[in-house]
């Protein structure tokens, strides 16, 4: 699948905003701590991916009712669904000047992941969190995502790489008082590029 940048401006994939708040002190401290153990940007990206995947439980798996959406809140509260964990990973990667996009897949509901840019190409990564039947790994040599869409079941990979969260995703997260409510309002598809 060819991945398509939502904007041709690569600097957009390094930007901070309300959601991917990589200038927040907690994001900066976490990034600095991870960077101490990395010999290069590839090693840092792998460490940041594993940190988000393994130390921030997916709230559905853990039963945590809290809904997070801002990267710094995900890191502070230590919980989030796929979208929120992707926001946290994007912030940690952008904090170290690694271009990072948000991207999505469609199953029964929309699933969120990221793409990182190395060696002139985008590589999708899924920090959702592993569990029985899910074994996502950081890879620049072939995708090792949590889930593979089945086109026969109307599942798909959206090819667009967003610099900011898709509005349907962000609106659902912001409107949800708890995870039970969020589960009833998750987007089932993404409409249009913006």
């Amino acid at each position: 699948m060819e991945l398509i940048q939502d904007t041709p401006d690569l600097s957009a994939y390094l930007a901070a905003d309300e959601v991917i708040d990589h200038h927040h002190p907690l994001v900066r401290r976490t990034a600095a701590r991870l960077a101490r153990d990395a010999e290069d940007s590839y090693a840092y990206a792998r460490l940041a991916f594993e940190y988000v995947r393994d130390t921030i439980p997916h709230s559905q798996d853990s039963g945590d009712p809290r809904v997070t959406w801002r990267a710094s809140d995900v890191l502070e509260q230590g919980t989030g669904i796929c979208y929120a964990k992707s926001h946290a990973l994007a912030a940690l990667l952008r904090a170290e000047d690694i271009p990072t996009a948000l991207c999505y897949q469609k199953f029964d509901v929309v699933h969120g992941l990221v793409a990182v840019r190395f060696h002139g190409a985008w590589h999708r990564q899924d920090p959702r969190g592993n569990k029985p039947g899910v074994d996502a790994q950081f890879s620049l040599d072939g995708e090792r995502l949590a889930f593979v869409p089945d086109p026969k079941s109307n599942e798909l990979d959206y090819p667009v790489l967003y610099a900011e969260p898709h509005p349907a995703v962000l609106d659902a997260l912001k409107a949800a008082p708890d995870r039970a409510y969020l589960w009833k309002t998750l987007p089932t598809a993404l409409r249009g590029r913006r």
Side-chain angles (χ1 to χ4, degrees), residues 1 23 44 51 74 85 106 124 141 161 175:
M1 176 183 68
H23 295 307
Y44 173 82
Y51 177 80
V74 175
K85 291 183 66 159
K106 180 193 178 307
R124 294 188 309 163
D141 184 28
L161 301 173

Side-chain angles (χ1 to χ4, degrees), residues 26-94:
L26 178 57
V27 177
R28 302 303 301 176
R29 281 194 308 272
T30 305
R33 188 176 74 246
L34 293 168
R36 281 196 298 265
D37 296 326
E39 62 274 4
D40 58 23
S41 60
Y42 171 79
Y44 173 82
R46 184 181 47 75
L47 286 171
F49 168 84
E50 291 171 353
Y51 177 80
V52 173
R53 181 194 66 191
D54 299 343
T55 68
I56 300 171
H58 189 289
S59 59
Q60 180 187 24
D61 298 347
S62 67
D64 195 319
R66 297 174 293 171
V67 175
T68 54
W69 53 269
R70 183 179 288 115
S72 57
D73 292 339
V74 175
L75 295 175
E76 179 194 10
Q77 296 182 36
T79 191
I81 68 165
C82 60
Y83 312 134
K85 291 183 66 159
S86 294
H87 300 164
L89 179 56
L92 290 172
L93 294 171
R94 290 182 184 185

Side-chain angles (χ1 to χ4, degrees), residues 156-172:
L156 61 91
D157 287 307
Y158 288 105
V160 178
L161 301 173
Y162 295 94
E164 300 172 349
H166 191 283
V169 166
L170 193 55
D171 291 348

